[in-house]
Structure formats: structure tokens, C-alpha cells
Amino acid sequence: MDDELDALSAAVGAACVASGHVIVSAESCTGGWVAEVLTATAGSSGWFDCGFVTYSNDAKQRLLGVPVDLLAAHGAVSEPVALAMVRGALARSAATIALSVTGIAGPGGATPGKPVGTVCFGWAVKDGAERTETRHFDGDRETVRRLSVRHTLTVLLALQAVQT
């Protein structure tokens, strides 16, 4: 792990301690990297509940309850699916705040209107604010995934600052 991700994780953990939030992650293209970054921080067992790595559409349906018709209508890489992922993660965990990441890290997988580097994010606070966003990151697979991890933690930190 690098210093930037270490610092972000420590800041997220401190914000969780201050706010009392517990995190759950629902990841696709990042393959558990967000959970790995968060759990590399000492003391994370006090503010990180669990992570779901739902790479396939079937796993998104089975583990997070993402409706098949939502996947069919919008595709896995979409804000509606990112929102369904955070809602499902909150419903299936003891967490109070959730994040989701679903995207096309490359080098293949692009579709019309969704080039490699397209990543959709979701964040939700239990019984509170929900937010989704789509970003595009340039670079190879590793770069897209790393930038996705950085972005989701940066926004999570900002969301927590608003919630405390």
C-alpha cells in the first residue's frame, strides 16, 4: 500500500471513531481493494464491519439483492446499480455507512457509452443520505482501480464530515 491510501484510511477511521459510524464496502472492479486498504489500518475492527466483493452480476443479485431487472435495464456499471449495492450492503451488515464501486477497469469490457475507465460509485448512510456518482479515470487497469479506491475513500471522508 502507498502513503496516500494509508493516510486516507487513517483519516476515515478517525472520522468513524468520532462519528460512531461502522463501514461496509460493496466492490466489483476494485476486487476488495477498498476493504484491504481499510483493514490495513490498526484498530479498523472497531469501525469496519465487512466487505462484499460482488464481481459477477449473479453475486450482486445473490449477496446484495441487486434486482435482475435493474441490471438488465442499466448494466452493472451504472449509478442505479451502485445505489442498489450500497443499500443491499447496509441491509446485510451491521454497518451504518456504506460505499460501492462498480466499473470497467480494462483493458477489455468497454461498451458503447461506457469506455474503459468508467466507474460508478455509491455511498449511503443508514436511514440517511445517499449519493451516487460516475467518474472516468485514464490509465491502465491498476491505475483505474487505485484511483477508484482513492476516490471512494475521499468522498466517504467528506460524507462523514457532513454527518458528524
Side-chain angles (χ1 to χ4, degrees):
M1 187 151 34
D2 61 54
D3 291 342
E4 181 183 28
L5 294 180
D6 279 340
L8 267 173
S9 180
V12 166
C16 285
V17 169
S19 67
H21 278 303
V22 175
I23 299 171
V24 60
S25 65
E27 302 179 62
S28 186
C29 68
T30 49
W33 197 348
V34 174
E36 192 278 326
V37 166
L38 292 175
T39 59
T41 300
S44 58
S45 61
W47 47 265
F48 183 82
D49 183 50
C50 64
F52 295 90
V53 177
T54 56
Y55 209 71
S56 70
N57 285 352
D58 181 61
K60 287 174 184 65
Q61 293 169 48
R62 255 184 312 107
L63 299 175
L64 298 174
V66 175
V68 67
D69 59 332
L70 197 66
L71 287 159
H74 300 282
V77 181
S78 65
E79 289 185 28
V81 168
L83 184 58
M85 289 171 68
V86 291
R87 287 175 176 168
L90 281 172
R92 290 160 175 78
S93 70
T96 58
I97 193 166
L99 62 90
S100 66
V101 184
T102 181
I104 305 165
T111 61
K114 295 180 186 177
V116 169
T118 302
V119 184
C120 298
F121 300 90
W123 301 270
V125 177
K126 192 170 201 123
D127 302 322
E130 296 179 330
R131 176 177 171 181
T132 60
E133 181 179 334
T134 300
R135 297 286 302 262
H136 183 270
F137 301 112
D138 291 322
D140 62 10
R141 182 177 183 81
E142 181 81 2
T143 301
V144 169
R145 294 175 75 223
R146 185 191 177 285
L147 292 172
S148 296
V149 172
R150 182 180 77 180
H151 182 71
T152 197
L153 293 178
T154 299
V155 174
L156 181 68
L157 189 57
L159 183 65
Q160 286 213 75
V162 171
Q163 295 295 318
T164 55

